[in-house]
Amino acid sequence: MPELPDLQVFSHNLDKVLSGKKLKAVKLENTKKAKDSPAAFRKALEGEKLEKVYREGKELRFRFENDAILGMHLMLHGKLYYFEEQNTNKHTIIELLFEDGKGLALTDFQGAAVPSLNPEVAEAPDALSKEFTLEFLKEQLAKKKTAIKKILLDQHVIRGIGNAYADEILWEAGISPFSIANKIPAAKVKALHHSIHEVLTTAEKQIRKEHPDIIAGEIRDFMKIHQPKKTHSPSGGAIEQKELNGRKTYYTDEQELFE
């Protein structure tokens, strides 16, 4: 599943190519996950100029000149493809065709990717937003008696962090993923807050450098511990794997356990 750094790059590249174009047609090909009808998508978006593509949490957002917003959650297997005039991609969920003939298709062979019209504004702060302060993180962790990794993945607490980057963040902060959230000392919470920003922004830069025009897929080859083929961290710790809430978790004994 593409995570925050991937989506940051996707949104930048989509904005660069598509913003300023007028939408000629929108086709909702798979209605299984969409709350609105194909007609509602057409009424809200067709004939409107695309103003901006950006990321919110784990979603891509397309804002049009009339303030209508198209959301796209790629889920596990969703992919985006450009096309010219005619979309020939299989398993299309939704397609956008602009007046200049440029098109964009969202596909998913499982049919799980979610297009949405005017998605609700979430209360939880995005992991890279100015609202996600150290004080906010301290307050949230003080309330929780669950494993810290579970908190990082909870989109109702912090938006945008996924499984792979949660492992990378916790390793960078030196905190075991199995640590109880409200047992983590203040100094380590501060290290965690710093690591969240550092790991996510560094990953985005790495993806931009190695895959400057990417709009689909996930790039993981630079990760330090969330790597099935790696046996040791950069500092020499043996990488262990364990299930946590149904998710494969990578960690080392270099990470301190607080319980």
Side-chain angles (χ1 to χ4, degrees):
M1 176 186 290
E3 294 192 27
L4 187 153
D6 304 294
L7 295 170
Q8 281 281 96
V9 180
F10 296 174
S11 65
H12 171 81
N13 290 337
L14 290 165
D15 185 66
K16 184 172 60 176
V17 172
L18 299 177
S19 64
K21 296 182 186 296
K22 185 174 286 189
L23 189 65
K24 180 180 180 181
V26 55
K27 293 182 182 179
L28 183 63
E29 300 283 2
N30 186 326
T31 60
K32 183 170 71 172
K33 294 289 185 177
K35 293 181 180 178
D36 294 281
S37 67
F41 279 84
R42 291 195 300 270
K43 182 178 179 181
L45 305 177
E46 286 185 353
E48 298 295 333
K49 183 188 291 186
L50 178 62
E51 282 194 337
K52 186 172 179 62
V53 184
Y54 59 101
R55 178 195 60 80
E56 276 286 339
K58 291 184 175 182
E59 285 193 3
L60 294 171
R61 300 279 173 88
F62 299 73
R63 188 180 72 232
F64 289 82
E65 198 170 42
N66 63 345
D67 291 330
I69 295 175
L70 169 64
M72 290 187 186
H73 196 308
L74 306 186
M75 301 303 286
L76 193 61
H77 298 293
K79 290 187 177 181
L80 293 165
Y81 297 95
Y82 293 127
F83 65 86
E84 297 289 340
E85 302 292 350
Q86 184 80 27
N87 173 32
T88 58
N89 292 287
K90 294 181 179 179
H91 312 296
T92 295
I93 303 293
I94 192 170
E95 68 175 67
L96 309 177
L97 178 63
F98 295 89
E99 287 189 346
D100 67 349
K102 191 80 172 179
L104 180 72
L106 168 63
T107 72
D108 186 346
F109 70 89
Q110 287 190 330
V114 182
S116 58
L117 193 58
N118 299 317
E120 294 181 3
V121 177
E123 292 184 8
D126 187 273
L128 292 182
S129 69
K130 62 182 180 181
E131 290 78 21
F132 181 60
T133 63
L134 175 58
E135 287 306 313
F136 173 85
L137 183 60
K138 285 180 179 178
E139 289 172 8
Q140 293 300 311
L141 299 193
K143 304 174 186 176
K144 306 292 193 293
K145 297 180 180 180
T146 50
I148 184 59
K149 182 176 178 182
K150 185 177 179 182
I151 304 302
L152 293 183
L153 295 178
D154 188 343
Q155 302 302 300
H156 295 98
V157 178
I158 311 165
R159 290 184 295 124
I161 301 173
N163 190 52
Y165 282 101
D167 288 347
E168 295 289 300
I169 287 164
L170 289 166
W171 181 81
E172 198 71 42
I175 300 170
S176 167
F178 311 106
S179 294
I180 303 304
N182 67 359
K183 299 295 184 181
I184 301 171
K188 279 295 189 180
V189 175
K190 185 176 182 180
L192 176 60
H193 184 264
H194 174 79
S195 294
I196 289 171
H197 188 272
E198 184 67 20
V199 168
L200 295 176
T201 55
T202 299
E204 180 186 347
K205 290 175 186 175
Q206 192 75 19
I207 295 167
R208 284 182 191 269
K209 180 181 176 182
E210 296 179 6
H211 304 272
D213 299 316
I214 192 171
I215 62 166
E218 54 183 41
I219 310 302
R220 300 283 183 267
D221 53 1
F222 56 83
M223 286 191 160
K224 295 177 179 178
I225 67 161
H226 194 96
Q227 288 273 19
K229 294 181 180 179
K230 279 193 174 180
T231 59
H232 291 79
S233 73
S235 48
I239 298 174
E240 307 283 346
Q241 294 183 35
K242 189 175 180 179
E243 291 287 322
L244 178 62
N245 294 114
R247 297 171 183 265
K248 188 173 288 187
T249 295
Y250 294 72
Y251 65 100
T252 76
D253 62 7
E254 302 161 306
Q255 296 166 248
E256 196 169 354
L257 177 64
F258 302 99
E259 56 184 359

